């Protein structure tokens, strides 16, 4: 009775072992490893963790463990891309992960899981062994006194730190010199100077007076307008020709301000009678006679004409000197 | 020359009516040496019906001027010395109990006169100042239940001392605005002062002011002053000046903008127009010309242009600002 049961059990285990054999063999064909370049660092120092997997070149693949940016007491500084190399009949996969830690103590890097993929399915997993890293603080000798913070260290000057700036500067300088030389040596074209006819203020004043006369303003009954325009023409002329702010001055002030301008002062009486008449017409509703209208226009023209030779003389002198811009005195 | 008949008549009427101005000036010159500017402004205030605020150091013949003016016009004069303990009743009057009649009777204050000299007005507290200024504005006084009309002509000449500001009550802007003119007077010239010394020390000097004008003449003249012709161009010129104090940037005076805290009020425009008419009257003209406006502009406007702290820090005065404005605004 005993023998058949033993035989049955042997057959069962044989069949079980035969059925699982391919899987067991695949796991044994993949070799995973995690290795740190040091097991001892100081706070903030870096440790290079090398993950590697070796496997047959065909029919199998390995999924590397997904390591988060921060785990345990470690932080991932950077990670290299996965590299693949062939060595004989073996395919080698590798990745380097740089870690650091800012907590002192002895910290473990846990066993990392590599998934084995065959025909698109995860068929098995392989684990690396855990690693321990000692993270130490800086040794402080408490028996010694505190030391001041070290002074800022001056870094030595090196030409090669600035060579690019020198190169750019020299290039810009050379280009500028080149452009200057080019434009200087280039034959210049004589630019046509636009001839602007400068009409002297007395000409303008005479034209405006003639215009006012031809418009027959007072003949149409607009006396106030006639005297306003007549005095405005004269005031503008004084302002432009003699730099007297005549537009902002009353008649009496204007008569005071022409005193230093000899050529105008000679016409003072004429100007006074004209301005007085104009004030009466403008501000007192007075209607001067036609003779007075004509007389006012004649006075205005005479004043401008009187100053004309002196103005021309001054303009000629100015053209000769090309300097002085003094009003005619 | 042909005249528009109305203006011609008005001009002649004013020419005749204003003849007393020369008489008045002549009479005043018997006792007042120099200070023609102040006397002229007093006359303008009198003719325009506006009160005058006078700023000047003591001893510049302020009291003498107004006293002489009142004598020359044959008018009643009173002087009130403003002090910190002055009460409104001391100025306007009060009710006094009459034991014999067993009733309250009104005792009129010194304000019941034609010419009032309110000396150092800024030394009295605000309630006294406002009592006077209210009387100036309303031209009537109420004591108890009775309202009394003040005499006509009524002119207040208030003085302010520009020095010794400690313990004074500066007149608020709204109250200063009630003065038509603020006149700043300076010292006489050397020649004038020499004359003043001789006149005062001469034992034979017995110059007295005779009445040359009656108050009724002044009242008639006041009516005529309002009739003086002012062309629209002049009105617009006045508006330009007043508006330039409010919006200087509109007159290419942007630099004045940060210096002015407030400009002239419509009362400034009215006062400037009226004072210009009075000025034309004193010049015996029946129409106003730009000179009249410019001549009186500083006295009408100087207390109506508010200065900012920036202006005060830079020692810019309202006179500086007004000069800039007058030099920028075109004369018609």
């Amino acid at each position: 009775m005993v023998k058949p049961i033993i035989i049955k059990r042997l057959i069962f285990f044989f069949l079980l072992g035969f059925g699982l054999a391919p899987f067991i063999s695949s796991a044994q064909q993949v070799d995973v490893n995690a290795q740190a370049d040091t097991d001892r660092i100081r706070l903030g120092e870096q440790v290079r963790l090398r993950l590697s997997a070796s496997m047959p070149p065909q029919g199998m693949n390995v999924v590397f463990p997904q390591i988060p940016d921060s785990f345990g007491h470690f932080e991932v500084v950077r990670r290299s891309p996965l590299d693949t190399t062939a060595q004989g009949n073996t395919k080698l996969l590798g990745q380097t992960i740089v870690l650091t830690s800012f907590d002192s103590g002895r910290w473990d890097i846990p066993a990392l899981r590599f998934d084995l993929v065959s025909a698109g399915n995860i068929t098995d997993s392989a684990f690396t062994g855990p690693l321990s890293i000692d993270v130490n603080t800086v040794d402080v000798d408490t028996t010694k006194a505190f030391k001041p913070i070290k002074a800022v260290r001056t870094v030595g000057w090196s030409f090669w730190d600035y060579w690019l700036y020198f190169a750019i500067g020299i290039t810009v300088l050379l280009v500028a010199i080149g452009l200057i030389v080019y434009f200087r040596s280039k034959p210049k074209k004589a630019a046509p100077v636009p001839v602007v006819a400068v009409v002297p203020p007395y000409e303008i004043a005479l034209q405006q007076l003639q215009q006012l006369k031809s418009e027959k303003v007072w003949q149409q009954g607009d006396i106030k307008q006639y005297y306003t325009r007549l005095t405005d023409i004269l005031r503008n002329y004084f302002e432009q020709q003699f730099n007297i702010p005549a537009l902002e001055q009353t008649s009496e002030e204007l008569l005071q301000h022409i005193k230093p301008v000899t050529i105008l002062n000679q016409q003072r009486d004429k100007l006074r009678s004209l301005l007085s008449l104009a004030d009466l017409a403008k501000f007192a509703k007075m209607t001067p006679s036609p003779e007075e209208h004509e007389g006012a226009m004649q006075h205005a023209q005479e004043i401008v004409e009187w100053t004309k030779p002196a103005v021309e003389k001054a303009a000629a002198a100015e053209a000769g000197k090309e300097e002085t811009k003094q009003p005619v005195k | 020359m042909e005249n528009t008949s109305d203006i011609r008549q008005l001009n002649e009427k004013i020419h005749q009516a204003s003849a007393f101005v020369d008489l008045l000036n002549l009479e005043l010159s018997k006792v007042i040496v120099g200070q023609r500017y102040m006397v002229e402004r007093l006359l303008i205030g009198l003719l325009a019906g506006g009160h005058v605020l006078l700023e000047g150091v003591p001893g510049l013949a302020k009291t003498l001027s107004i006293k002489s003016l009142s004598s020359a016009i044959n008018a009643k004069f009173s002087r009130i010395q403003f002090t910190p303990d002055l009460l409104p009743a001391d100025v306007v009057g009060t009710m006094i109990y009459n034991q014999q009649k067993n009733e309250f009777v009104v005792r009129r204050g010194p304000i019941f006169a034609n010419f009032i000299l309110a000396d150092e007005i800024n030394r009295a507290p605000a309630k006294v100042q406002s009592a006077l200024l209210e009387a100036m504005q309303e031209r009537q006084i109420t004591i108890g239940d009775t309202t009394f009309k003040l005499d006509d002509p009524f002119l207040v000449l208030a003085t302010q001392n520009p020095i010794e500001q400690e313990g004074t009550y500066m007149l608020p802007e709204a109250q200063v605005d009630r003065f038509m003119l603020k006149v700043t007077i300076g010292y006489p010239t050397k020649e004038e002062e020499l004359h003043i010394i001789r006149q005062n020390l001469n034992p034979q000097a017995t110059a007295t002011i005779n009445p040359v004008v009656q108050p009724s003449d002044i009242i008639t003249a006041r009516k005529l002053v309002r009739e003086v012709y002012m062309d629209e161009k002049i009105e617009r010129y006045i508006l330009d000046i007043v508006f330039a104090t409010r919006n200087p940037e509109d007159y290419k005076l942007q630099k004045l903008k940060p210096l002015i805290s407030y400009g002239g009020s419509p009362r400034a425009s009215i006062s400037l127009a009226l004072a210009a008419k009075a000025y034309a009257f004193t010049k015996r003209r029946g129409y106003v010309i730009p000179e009249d406006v410019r001549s009186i502009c500083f006295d009408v406007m100087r207390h109506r242009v508010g200065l900012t702290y920036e202006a005060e820090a830079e020692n810019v005065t309202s006179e500086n600002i007004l000069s800039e404005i007058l030099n920028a605004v075109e004369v018609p």
Side-chain angles (χ1 to χ4, degrees):
Chain A
M1 283 298 286
V2 176
K3 278 183 181 175
I5 290 168
I6 293 168
I7 291 166
K8 278 181 185 173
R9 281 183 182 172
L10 284 171
I11 293 168
F12 172 75
F13 284 119
F14 176 76
L15 288 172
L16 184 69
F18 188 76
L20 292 173
F23 298 104
I24 292 165
S25 65
S26 69
Q28 285 172 344
Q29 285 170 349
V30 176
D31 187 19
V32 296
N33 189 28
Q35 198 173 7
D37 63 345
T38 179
D39 60 351
R40 187 179 295 272
I41 59 169
R42 270 188 280 192
L43 284 175
E45 277 186 346
Q46 294 175 352
V47 53
R48 295 164 68 83
L49 179 65
R50 178 71 184 173
L51 304 180
S52 60
S54 62
M55 69 198 80
Q58 298 294 328
M60 184 156 290
N61 213 344
V62 169
V63 177
F64 271 57
Q66 294 296 315
I67 298 174
D69 289 343
S70 173
F71 66 95
H73 292 275
F74 292 100
E75 287 173 27
V76 175
V77 178
R78 64 178 174 274
R79 53 188 100 216
S80 72
L82 208 61
D83 55 59
T84 309
T85 52
Q87 195 176 44
N89 205 23
T90 307
K91 183 166 80 174
L92 291 174
L93 296 176
Q95 186 182 22
T96 304
I97 293 169
V98 179
L99 302 172
T100 187
S101 178
F102 297 99
D103 300 326
S104 61
R106 185 181 179 81
W107 312 121
D108 289 337
I109 298 172
L112 301 169
R113 194 182 81 181
F114 287 69
D115 290 329
L116 309 182
V117 179
S118 177
N121 296 318
I122 297 172
T123 55
D124 201 354
S125 300
F127 290 87
T128 63
L131 296 170
S132 292
I133 307 288
D134 284 329
V135 181
N136 301 316
T137 55
V138 179
D139 292 335
V140 179
D141 186 353
T142 54
T143 60
K144 291 185 177 172
F146 286 103
K147 291 178 181 173
I149 296 168
K150 286 189 177 178
V152 177
R153 189 186 294 173
T154 308
V155 178
W157 190 88
S158 167
F159 170 79
W160 296 109
D161 292 338
Y162 303 99
W163 72 271
L164 189 61
Y165 301 106
F166 282 112
I168 292 169
I170 290 166
T171 310
V172 168
L173 195 67
L174 289 174
V175 169
I177 292 169
L179 285 171
I180 291 167
V181 171
Y182 171 74
F183 283 113
R184 282 201 173 173
S185 58
K186 196 179 170 184
K188 287 178 188 170
K189 283 183 183 175
V193 180
V195 181
V196 181
V198 180
V199 184
Y202 66 82
E203 286 287 355
I204 297 171
L206 287 174
Q207 282 169 16
Q208 287 175 337
L209 287 171
Q210 199 55 45
Q211 170 79 12
L212 179 63
K213 200 174 180 180
S214 64
E215 282 178 25
K216 298 187 183 302
V217 178
W218 67 262
Q219 287 91 335
Q220 290 165 21
D222 205 346
I223 310 296
K224 204 191 268 191
Q225 174 73 3
Y226 175 73
Y227 282 96
T228 303
R229 281 181 60 185
L230 188 67
T231 49
D232 280 355
I233 291 168
L234 276 184
R235 284 170 193 271
N236 268 312
Y237 172 60
F238 294 157
E239 203 155 296
Q240 287 170 15
Q241 188 65 62
F242 303 104
N243 292 339
I244 298 169
L247 284 170
E248 290 80 27
Q249 290 175 353
T250 63
S251 303
E252 203 52 48
E253 285 170 340
L254 182 57
L255 288 167
Q256 288 296 318
H257 279 87
I258 61 162
K259 271 183 184 172
V261 187
T262 316
I263 190 82
L264 267 184
N265 202 31
Q266 288 164 349
Q267 297 291 303
R268 192 178 162 79
D269 293 339
K270 227 175 250 180
L271 186 62
R272 182 190 291 280
S273 82
L274 194 157
L275 290 175
S276 304
L277 187 66
D279 278 354
L280 287 172
K282 285 196 288 183
F283 308 123
K285 274 190 182 173
M286 302 261 180
T287 310
S289 63
E291 292 76 32
E292 284 172 313
H293 297 319
E294 294 289 356
M297 174 60 76
Q298 201 180 335
H299 278 171
Q301 285 175 328
E302 281 171 8
I303 290 166
V304 180
E305 289 284 359
W306 176 261
T307 57
K308 190 174 159 181
V311 169
E312 280 175 341
K313 198 174 164 186
E318 193 176 338
K321 288 177 185 172
E322 289 185 0
E323 281 291 337
T324 50
K325 287 188 177 176
Q326 292 296 315
V328 181
K329 298 273 165 113
Chain B
M1 188 187 287
E2 295 168 14
N3 294 343
T4 305
S5 57
D6 289 352
I7 291 284
R8 189 180 177 182
Q9 284 171 7
L10 177 68
N11 208 30
E12 282 186 8
K13 195 160 83 173
I14 286 173
H15 191 77
Q16 285 171 9
S18 60
F20 74 84
V21 174
D22 291 343
L23 271 176
L24 212 51
N25 280 328
L26 198 67
E27 195 63 25
L28 293 175
S29 65
K30 288 201 298 195
V31 288
I32 303 165
V33 180
Q35 302 297 9
R36 287 195 56 82
Y37 185 84
M38 178 176 64
V39 171
E40 196 177 50
R41 264 54 188 168
L42 281 179
L43 268 177
I44 289 166
L46 183 66
L47 292 169
H51 306 287
V52 183
L53 178 62
L54 214 57
E55 199 170 85
V57 293
L60 290 177
K62 297 188 287 278
T63 311
L64 180 66
S65 300
I66 193 160
K67 204 171 176 179
S68 305
L69 186 65
S70 66
S71 303
I73 296 175
N74 201 13
K76 196 178 166 195
F77 166 78
S78 66
R79 179 178 184 274
I80 309 167
Q81 179 66 49
F82 278 57
T83 52
D85 58 349
L86 198 71
L87 294 171
D90 298 332
V91 177
V92 297
T94 188
M95 304 282 284
I96 290 178
Y97 183 67
N98 187 327
Q99 263 189 331
Q100 288 170 342
K101 292 182 180 175
N102 198 23
E103 62 179 13
F104 280 95
V105 290
V106 173
R107 180 163 187 172
R108 296 181 178 195
I111 202 162
F112 287 89
N114 297 110
F115 294 93
I116 313 290
L117 176 66
D119 216 357
E120 295 194 279
I121 191 170
N122 56 338
R123 295 228 174 263
K127 59 183 177 182
V128 183
Q129 290 175 357
S130 51
L132 174 72
L133 294 162
E134 202 178 323
M136 284 160 55
Q137 186 74 16
E138 307 297 330
R139 289 171 195 268
Q140 61 181 30
I141 295 288
T142 302
I143 304 170
D145 299 331
T146 321
T147 301
F148 300 92
K149 275 193 86 65
L150 292 172
D151 298 341
D152 204 14
F154 176 66
L155 174 73
V156 174
L157 175 78
T159 68
Q160 264 194 157
N161 193 340
I163 52 173
E164 293 176 40
Q165 294 297 316
E166 205 172 327
T168 61
Y169 303 86
M170 285 301 289
L171 289 173
E173 285 81 3
Q175 301 208 345
V176 177
D177 198 39
R178 293 186 186 181
F179 286 97
M180 177 182 262
L181 307 173
K182 181 182 176 184
V183 183
T184 310
I185 52 170
Y187 291 107
T189 61
K190 249 184 185 175
E191 285 305 311
E192 285 169 351
E193 199 147 338
L194 181 68
H195 196 160
I196 291 166
I197 294 170
R198 285 176 184 167
Q199 189 170 308
N200 277 271
L201 299 185
N202 183 3
Q204 274 86 44
T206 53
T208 50
I209 298 286
N210 301 312
V212 289
V213 184
Q214 293 304 311
S216 58
D217 295 332
I218 299 296
I219 294 163
T220 312
R222 275 186 179 177
K223 287 177 187 158
L224 273 175
V225 162
R226 288 182 179 262
E227 286 177 32
V228 169
Y229 175 70
M230 181 177 278
D231 194 79
E232 194 193 333
K233 279 172 180 288
I234 302 287
E235 289 171 346
R236 292 199 176 278
Y237 181 50
I238 288 171
L239 287 180
D240 279 340
I241 292 170
V242 175
F243 270 70
T245 63
R246 296 177 203 167
N247 309 308
E249 68 277 13
D250 293 348
Y251 297 83
K252 297 176 187 170
L253 291 167
Q254 286 86 347
K255 63 178 177 178
L256 296 186
K257 185 76 182 167
L259 305 176
I260 302 173
S261 62
Y262 60 89
S265 62
R267 195 186 273 162
S269 306
I270 298 166
S271 297
L272 188 53
L274 197 52
K277 282 187 173 195
Y279 187 84
F281 184 90
T282 60
K283 298 294 167 194
R284 307 188 70 183
R285 259 188 283 108
Y287 55 92
V288 179
I289 56 172
E291 262 100 8
D292 302 332
V293 178
R294 284 181 84 119
S295 300
I296 204 71
C297 180
F298 283 95
D299 300 309
V300 175
M301 298 297 295
R302 67 160 57 91
H303 54 299
R304 293 183 160 107
V305 176
L307 299 176
T308 59
Y309 287 115
E310 196 179 336
E312 282 172 13
E314 291 176 13
N315 284 330
V316 175
T317 60
S318 55
E319 282 87 351
N320 299 140
I321 288 172
L322 288 168
S323 292
E324 293 270 358
I325 288 172
L326 289 179
N327 289 334
V329 175
E330 273 191 28
V331 174

